[in-house]
Structure formats: structure tokens, C-alpha cells
Amino acid sequence: MTKICGVDEAGRGALAGELVVCGCAFNGDVSKLNLTDSKKLTPKKREQIYTSLIQQCDFITIYFNNKIIDEIGLSNCLRRALRVIKFHFREHQIIYDGNCNYGIDGIETIIKADAKIPQVSAASIIAKVSRDLQMCRFDSFYPYFGYAKHKGYGVKAHIEALQKYGPNELTRQSFKPKALEASLFGDEI
């Protein structure tokens, strides 16, 4: 029987905070958890499932802070994460949510795998909850940005906070939403 490691990430399109990539394989029966894409679950349900998953799975989470993302780019971050996951789960079939394996041989890609493959759903949930908890902690350091609510994504409240207060240490300088003025980031959009 082929062992499967599912891979997904959270924070890919955020304007602040880290990219979190998770690889996850099951050690036991998780069929009762009704796994699906983390975005289809309420935060409370995600956290409940997360608590069960971290006790019943072999998983690895890899974090890339905003400065690394700005320096090497999202694609290189994902490429590095996939290499680490491939090494950690070298005896598994690795399935990544999406359509690009970033040049890493032995990584199978499936679009919407986070809704189709339970191991990828689990990776999606672990990555999302891990990142959300981190952004909630960051909220206490940057209370005017509302990270506990929007988790650093480019929603109106976050754009308005960036316009009012400027970027902070968590802001991805390489992500330049059109809604922001060029002067905020120091060069043209």
C-alpha cells in the first residue's frame, strides 16, 4: 500500500506575515474528521480538526518570513519547502495542491487536491491554523493592523492600515497592491 504525503500552504497571497508550507501523512485513522479544504471550514472547526491531526499525523511545517519571501520570491520558497518535504517523506507518494511542482521531481500535482485528497486537506488545515495562530500573536505587536481579523491578507482594512501607518516589520515589500500609493513602498507600482 502506497503511503501518501499531502502538501499545501497558507499565506501565499498575504501582504504580511509568513508563508507556511506543510507536508502531512497519516499514522492512524482520521476518517471521522471529515477532512476538506481548510477554506471551507470555520475557524473553530479548523482548530478542532488541527488538534486531532497533530496527534495522529506525521507532519512538517516550514515557515518563510516576509523578508525571505521578498529576497528569494514565493516560487523559490515553495521549491525549497518541497525539497525538504520530499526528503522528510522520501518513502511516500507526495501530492501537492496546485499545478506546479517547481521543478522538483517526484512531486505529483493535483488542482484542488486540498478538497480531494485527505492528506492534502490535512496539510491545508495544519498550515492554515499554524499561520492564523501566528498572525493572532503578531496582532498584539501591531494592534492597528488588525492581523487577528484578516491574517495579513489584502482586505480593505489592511490596505487602509498600510496607507495610514505605512509598512511594518511583517509587511512583504515585494507585494504591491494597486490600492496603495507608490510612495508607501518607495518605488513605482
Side-chain angles (χ1 to χ4, degrees):
M1 186 166 149
T2 304
K3 297 185 287 186
I4 294 173
C5 167
V7 181
D8 203 0
E9 80 280 324
R12 184 182 198 141
L15 304 181
E18 296 189 339
L19 171 69
V20 179
V21 185
C22 179
C24 182
F26 299 150
N27 289 332
D29 181 15
V30 296
S31 60
K32 293 181 178 150
L33 295 178
N34 297 317
L35 297 171
T36 189
D37 176 3
S38 65
K39 294 179 287 300
K40 295 179 180 178
L41 301 168
T42 65
K44 183 178 180 179
K45 187 65 176 171
R46 270 195 303 264
E47 288 177 22
Q48 290 170 344
I49 294 172
Y50 168 86
T51 301
S52 295
L53 287 173
I54 62 172
Q55 295 170 12
Q56 299 178 54
C57 297
D58 179 12
F59 68 95
I60 184 170
T61 49
I62 303 160
Y63 296 79
F64 295 93
N65 71 30
N66 55 300
K67 293 181 183 3
I68 294 170
I69 295 166
D70 288 339
E71 183 179 326
I72 67 171
L74 274 174
S75 293
N76 281 323
C77 291
L78 291 165
R79 185 175 298 111
R80 289 178 181 193
L82 290 172
R83 280 190 191 122
V84 170
I85 291 166
K86 182 180 176 185
F87 178 79
H88 184 80
F89 291 101
R90 57 189 164 275
E91 297 185 13
H92 290 68
Q93 175 187 2
I94 300 173
I95 301 174
Y96 180 48
D97 180 43
N99 62 359
C100 180
N101 68 2
Y102 298 94
I104 307 299
D105 291 333
I107 306 285
E108 181 181 347
T109 60
I110 299 175
I111 295 170
K112 301 209 182 288
D114 53 358
K116 299 174 185 173
I117 310 293
Q119 291 86 343
V120 181
S121 300
S124 170
I125 292 165
I126 293 171
K128 176 80 172 129
V129 171
S130 298
R131 186 177 190 284
D132 286 358
L133 291 171
Q134 184 182 63
M135 292 308 292
C136 288
R137 286 190 294 272
F138 287 148
D139 189 69
S140 64
F141 296 104
Y142 304 98
Y144 301 116
F145 283 84
Y147 291 141
K149 290 182 182 173
H150 57 66
K151 311 301 186 275
Y153 287 92
V155 299
K156 184 179 177 187
H158 190 188
I159 300 292
E160 288 173 354
L162 285 168
Q163 289 171 328
K164 185 172 183 178
Y165 303 108
N168 62 47
E169 291 181 9
L170 298 177
T171 304
R172 296 180 186 176
Q173 300 294 324
S174 56
F175 286 44
K176 298 175 183 166
K178 294 182 188 215
L180 293 172
E181 294 182 35
S183 61
L184 180 65
F185 290 97
D187 50 22
E188 293 182 26
I189 295 177

